[in-house]
């Protein structure tokens, strides 16, 4: 740290009148068991920098740099903050008394910096430092709630941030800082919940420290790169005494997991304590830091994850396309079955594909065309399926399927009217798509027409609905088919733990069994084959076939077809089962083995075939 006396560059802990005060930072929004602050911190830091990107042809660069230095407490830039914390009976790091300071710097380049008037309270600049919950973003970026900056304060053990910026609009280099305290009475006056690194109060804002010596001292203290010397524009934030969970590896892991597309498409470059993360180095770094990743599917196979991202990026035409009416609530429509069958056949070859979904968004009294892309692949045997949704390159990790099963599936929404709509629907930590009166009002203010939530519900359901479309009726085991053929499950239902002293009724539905068969439909028939990832044989199979009639359970008529009169072939002329029966519209196979495969052809190619089937793993006991 600079050895000169910095004590005269002080902090202001303002007094307040009869204005209400609110303590706390709503930290539970950004620090959860499933999404710890170490991850939300990285998400917020990168999101802000991407939204401030200047040149679409050049990547945003963000440096994360850790530092440690000896300090002279009486001459430190943080002297006032520590004094205020002691008055509030707030903890102080033990290393402060040992004359040592640690810090983490987050500094971006090729960005706008912290813009806005330095003299108006509601400008972008003062919104950032003073107006929590208020933002001047226009909803076209990745944020707009005005509370994400809380993550930087949470990351500091003393809940303090100091910022140095060089603005693209006027090349000014203002410096400000913020520390979260506790509102207390001091000399018969009530102190505010925040203190600021500034020279003096100025009506509703602050007059900042403006001397060149102060700027140089801040730069040297936290080892910022001097924007004027680079030269460049951007925002640098110093986080004193960062929590120990923040490490270079955890930052790299969170960046890859949440912003993989923006790194791969050269929108974003990170430099984390000397390690450069870009489109060329991402594979090697991902393999090195995978243990720090939260998502188990990505952690177990980063190569598969990055490969599917590359497949889904907009660098080539899609393999398939589906157009969906604006009022659609699900993809489960008969008109999409043919495309789904083609995709399933494509995936059986072991490759991956891209499906483009064309949508209509109601905005400003008209329907605007937009689309999103889905990269799809079969999940390898024994692996956990990939299941992700990216809006403008940033993952919304809670937009996912509850039961992804056999398919790897990643969605991508690029800059469009759909991206703006989804931004307005996102929750405060940008993890999920939500519904509330506040969100409805924002959608209406931005001229999205009623019913405003139809599109959101459609998009949020896509991770589930697209998989169901690919499974189709032919690949979803139907518990109602030929129930009399199989043994009734034995034993009492599994009981759930009581909650708040109230008994919880047992589940009425059994756990989904692993699929023993894969069923695919072709132009004039179907194929049923033993699933390669199933390992409990023998298994009984029963299936019922009918032509679609628009109902959930279509009826079969003898005039439609009779299975025994169609062409039935078995793998290598072996049935792969103990007994096989095909009669009317019913197929039944007993004690199937891992070699089971059957093809049935000769159906009407002008009609849609629907297959309902069921398996019973307790074949020996049937």
């Amino acid at each position: 740290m600079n050895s000169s006396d910095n004590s005269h560059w002080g902090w202001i802990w303002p007094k307040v009148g009869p204005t209400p005060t609110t303590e706390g930072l709503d930290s539970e929004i950004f620090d959860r068991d499933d999404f710890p602050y170490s991850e939300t911190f990285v998400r917020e830091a990168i999101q802000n920098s991407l939204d401030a990107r200047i040149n679409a042809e050049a990547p945003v660069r963000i440096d994360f740099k850790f530092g440690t230095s000896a300090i002279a407490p009486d001459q430190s830039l943080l002297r006032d903050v520590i004094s205020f914390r002691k008055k509030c009976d707030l903890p102080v790091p033990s290393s402060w008394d040992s004359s040592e300071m640690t810090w983490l710097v987050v500094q971006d380049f090729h960005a706008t910096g912290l813009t806005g008037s330095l003299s108006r309270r509601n400008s972008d600049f003062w919104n950032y430092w003073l107006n929590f919950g208020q933002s001047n973003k226009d909803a076209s970026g990745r944020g707009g709630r005005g509370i994400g900056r809380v993550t930087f304060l949470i990351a500091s053990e003393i809940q303090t941030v100091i910022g140095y910026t060089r603005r693209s609009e006027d090349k000014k280099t203002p410096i400000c800082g913020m520390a979260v305290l506790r509102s207390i009475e001091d000399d018969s006056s009530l102190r505010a919940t925040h203190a600021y690194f500034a020279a003096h109060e100025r009506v509703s804002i602050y007059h900042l420290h403006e001397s060149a010596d102060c700027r140089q001292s801040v730069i040297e203290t936290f080892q910022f790169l001097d924007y004027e010397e680079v030269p460049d524009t951007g925002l640098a934030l110093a986080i004193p005494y960062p929590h120990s969970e923040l490490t270079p590896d955890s930052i790299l892991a969170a960046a890859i997991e949440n912003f993989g597309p923006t790194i791969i498409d050269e929108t974003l470059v990170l430099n984390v304590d000397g390690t450069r993360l870009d489109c060329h180095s991402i594979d090697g770094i991902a393999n090195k830091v995978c243990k720090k990743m939260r998502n188990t599917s990505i952690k177990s196979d980063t190569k598969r994850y990055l490969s599917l991202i590359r497949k889904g990026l907009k660098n080539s035409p899609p393999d398939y396309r589906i157009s969906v009416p604006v009022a659609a609530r699900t993809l489960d429509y008969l008109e999409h079955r043919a495309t789904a069958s083609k995709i399933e056949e494509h995936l059986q070859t072991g490759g991956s594909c891209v499906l483009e979904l064309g949508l209509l968004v109601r905005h400003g009294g008209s329907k605007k065309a937009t689309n999103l892309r889905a990269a799809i692949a079969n999940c390898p045997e024994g692996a956990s399926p990939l299941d992700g949704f990216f809006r403008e390159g940033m993952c919304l990790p809670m937009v996912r399927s509850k039961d992804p099963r056999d398919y790897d599936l990643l969605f991508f929404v690029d800059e469009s009217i759909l991206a703006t709509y989804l931004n307005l629907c996102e929750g405060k930590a940008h993890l999920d798509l939500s519904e509330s009166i506040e969100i409805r009002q924002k959608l209406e203010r931005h001229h999205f027409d009623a019913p405003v939530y139809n599109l959101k519900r459609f998009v949020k359901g896509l991770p589930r609905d697209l998989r169901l479309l690919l499974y189709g009726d032919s690949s979803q085991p139907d518990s109602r088919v030929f129930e009399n053929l199989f043994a009734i499950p034995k034993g009492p239902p599994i009981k759930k733990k009581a909650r708040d002293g109230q008994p919880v009724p047992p589940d009425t539905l059994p756990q989904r069994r692993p699929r023993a068969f894969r069923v695919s439909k072709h132009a004039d028939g179907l194929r049923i084959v033993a699933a390669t990832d199933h390992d409990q044989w023998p298994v009984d199979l029963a299936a019922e076939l009918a032509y679609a009639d628009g109902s959930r359970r279509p009826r079969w008529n003898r005039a439609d077809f009779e299975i025994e009169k169609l062409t039935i072939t078995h793998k290598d002329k072996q049935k792969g089962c103990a007994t096989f029966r095909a009669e009317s519209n019913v197929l039944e196979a007993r004690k199937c083995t891992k070699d089971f495969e059957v093809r049935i052809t000769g159906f009407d190619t002008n009609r849609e075939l629907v297959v309902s089937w069921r398996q019973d793993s307790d074949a020996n006991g049937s």
Side-chain angles (χ1 to χ4, degrees):
M1 184 174 183
N2 188 0
S3 60
S4 63
D5 185 358
N6 300 320
S7 60
H8 57 287
W9 297 317
W11 292 68
I12 296 173
W13 189 8
K15 298 177 181 180
V16 296
T19 303
T21 61
T22 301
E23 295 190 7
L25 290 171
D26 291 329
S27 59
E28 66 275 5
I29 298 173
F30 302 97
D31 185 14
R32 305 163 26 159
D33 290 339
D34 50 349
F35 296 99
Y37 72 83
S38 57
E39 182 174 349
T40 53
F41 163 80
V42 175
R43 285 169 55 85
E44 183 66 24
I46 294 177
Q47 171 193 291
N48 284 349
S49 295
L50 289 174
D51 285 345
R53 185 184 183 191
I54 292 177
N55 185 356
E57 304 301 320
V60 168
R61 178 185 132 204
I62 310 176
D63 288 2
F64 292 83
K65 183 168 58 178
F66 292 84
T68 303
S69 67
I71 59 172
D74 289 341
Q75 299 176 357
S76 170
L77 289 170
L78 300 176
R79 185 191 69 168
D80 289 347
V81 172
I82 299 299
S83 175
F84 298 157
R85 288 184 67 83
K86 289 179 178 179
K87 280 188 176 182
C88 295
D89 197 26
L90 292 171
V92 173
S94 57
S95 55
W96 171 264
D97 295 324
S98 303
S99 298
E100 182 181 78
M101 181 176 67
T102 58
W103 70 86
L104 168 60
V105 162
V106 183
Q107 184 168 11
D108 64 27
F109 302 87
H110 317 318
T112 62
L114 197 50
T115 59
S117 171
L118 299 177
S119 59
R120 286 194 306 106
R121 171 64 184 256
N122 289 324
S123 69
D124 285 344
F125 185 88
W126 288 113
N127 265 346
Y128 187 88
W129 294 111
L130 294 173
N131 301 333
F132 285 90
Q134 185 171 327
S135 173
N136 288 337
K137 288 185 179 180
D138 61 1
S140 62
R142 297 163 184 81
R145 290 279 189 162
I147 61 173
R149 74 203 78 154
V150 165
T151 58
F152 301 116
L153 294 164
I154 295 173
S156 166
E157 287 188 31
I158 59 173
Q159 296 187 319
T160 298
V161 172
I162 296 178
Y164 155 57
T165 185
R166 187 166 188 255
R167 297 129 60 92
S168 60
E169 60 185 7
D170 56 16
K171 301 303 185 290
K172 290 183 178 179
T173 56
I175 292 173
C176 192
M178 172 172 33
V180 180
L181 301 169
R182 184 178 294 157
S183 182
I184 64 171
E185 284 192 298
D186 182 36
D187 298 329
S188 300
S189 298
L190 185 67
R191 295 284 181 174
T193 55
H194 294 68
Y196 289 90
F197 184 64
H200 56 79
E201 295 179 59
R202 184 178 168 189
V203 192
S204 62
I205 57 175
Y206 293 93
H207 186 85
L208 302 173
H209 296 296
E210 296 180 335
S211 70
D213 287 345
C214 179
R215 185 175 68 85
Q216 191 60 33
S217 179
V218 171
I219 290 172
E220 290 180 3
T221 296
F222 299 108
Q223 298 180 13
F224 290 134
L225 285 180
D226 192 338
Y227 285 116
E228 291 188 341
E229 292 183 3
V230 174
D232 209 331
T233 58
L235 172 64
L237 297 174
I239 299 163
Y241 299 104
H243 288 285
S244 58
E245 290 86 348
L246 283 168
T247 65
D249 281 0
S250 69
I251 291 172
L252 289 166
I256 293 170
E257 187 173 351
N258 290 279
F259 292 92
T262 62
I263 298 170
I264 290 174
D265 71 6
E266 300 184 70
T267 299
L268 174 66
V269 172
L270 300 186
N271 194 324
V272 183
D273 250 17
T275 298
R276 181 182 173 89
L277 175 60
D278 59 19
C279 62
H280 305 293
S281 63
I282 187 171
D283 295 86
I285 294 174
N287 185 57
K288 176 185 174 184
V289 303
C290 61
K291 292 182 179 179
K292 293 288 186 179
M293 294 179 180
R294 176 190 50 79
N295 187 300
T296 55
S297 301
I298 301 174
K299 179 190 298 187
S300 63
D301 195 344
T302 57
K303 181 178 180 181
R304 188 168 110 247
Y305 164 68
L306 297 175
S307 176
L308 197 59
I309 287 178
R310 290 186 173 99
K311 180 70 177 180
L313 295 180
K314 293 182 65 174
N315 51 11
S316 60
D319 300 293
Y320 306 97
R321 178 176 170 82
I322 287 177
S323 294
V324 182
V326 70
R329 297 289 297 275
T330 175
L331 281 174
D332 192 16
Y333 289 100
L334 293 178
E335 59 264 32
H336 301 320
R337 296 290 188 220
T339 301
S341 296
K342 292 178 182 178
I343 293 174
E344 190 173 5
E345 290 182 35
H346 186 133
L347 297 179
Q348 286 175 355
T349 66
S352 57
C353 66
V354 173
L355 169 67
E356 184 175 84
L357 286 91
L359 307 173
L360 291 175
V361 179
R362 296 184 180 185
H363 182 257
S366 63
K367 296 179 181 179
K368 298 182 179 179
T370 186
N371 48 59
L372 57 84
R373 293 164 70 94
I376 316 167
N378 276 321
C379 178
E381 181 177 349
S384 178
L386 295 171
D387 188 20
F389 191 100
F390 293 90
R391 184 184 66 80
E392 294 186 286
M394 178 181 178
C395 181
L396 306 184
M398 294 184 69
V399 181
R400 60 191 178 193
S401 172
K402 292 182 179 179
D403 184 16
R405 289 194 275 176
D406 300 326
Y407 292 108
D408 288 337
L409 184 54
L410 299 180
F411 289 93
F412 303 88
V413 176
D414 296 309
E415 295 180 12
S416 64
I417 191 69
L418 178 59
T420 299
Y421 174 90
L422 295 179
N423 181 40
L424 293 169
C425 290
E426 288 168 23
K428 292 183 178 180
H430 303 284
L431 302 173
D432 200 0
L433 300 175
S434 305
E435 296 182 15
S436 68
I437 293 176
E438 177 191 2
I439 290 175
R440 178 183 293 274
Q441 291 172 343
K442 287 200 302 180
L443 288 170
E444 292 172 349
R445 283 200 306 271
H446 286 82
H447 311 296
F448 287 98
D449 302 336
V452 292
Y453 288 139
N454 277 6
L455 181 59
K456 171 256 166 183
R457 293 167 185 169
F458 173 81
V459 170
K460 188 171 181 179
L462 276 176
R464 173 202 63 207
D465 292 341
L466 182 52
R467 285 180 170 92
L468 291 178
L469 178 65
L470 295 177
Y471 294 143
D473 291 331
S474 66
S475 57
Q476 291 187 85
D478 188 339
S479 61
R480 298 168 297 181
V481 177
F482 306 117
E483 293 179 351
N484 61 321
L485 294 180
F486 302 108
I488 298 173
K490 304 176 180 64
I494 299 174
K495 294 183 178 180
K496 292 184 177 180
K497 294 181 179 180
R499 183 178 298 174
D500 298 330
Q502 298 298 319
V504 178
D507 289 333
T508 57
L509 296 176
Q511 294 285 334
R512 180 182 281 109
R513 298 176 180 179
R515 294 198 307 155
F517 304 96
R518 295 186 184 277
V519 184
S520 57
K521 291 179 289 185
H522 305 284
D524 67 339
L526 74 155
R527 171 176 174 263
I528 306 177
V529 61
T532 58
D533 55 354
H534 189 77
D535 58 2
Q536 296 181 5
W537 301 98
V539 178
D540 289 349
L541 169 70
E544 184 181 54
L545 284 66
Y547 288 130
D549 60 9
S551 66
R552 179 72 177 170
R553 294 293 305 278
R555 288 186 170 188
W556 169 77
N557 188 295
R558 186 172 293 275
D560 292 335
F561 63 83
E562 296 177 64
I563 291 182
E564 64 267 26
K565 295 181 180 180
L566 301 176
T567 301
I568 302 176
T569 56
H570 301 278
K571 180 180 180 181
D572 299 328
K573 299 182 180 180
Q574 299 296 319
K575 292 183 173 64
C577 58
T579 62
F580 181 87
R581 180 175 71 91
E583 183 178 341
S584 300
N585 73 321
V586 174
L587 182 155
E588 180 186 341
R590 294 282 188 169
K591 295 187 177 181
C592 301
T593 70
K594 64 180 180 179
D595 297 318
F596 180 81
E597 180 178 335
V598 63
R599 290 176 181 267
I600 306 176
T601 57
F603 292 94
D604 187 345
T605 58
N606 294 316
R607 302 183 69 180
E608 179 71 25
L609 184 65
V610 176
V611 185
S612 300
W613 66 277
R614 173 167 172 174
Q615 68 186 55
D616 186 4
S617 298
D618 189 20
N620 291 322
S622 298

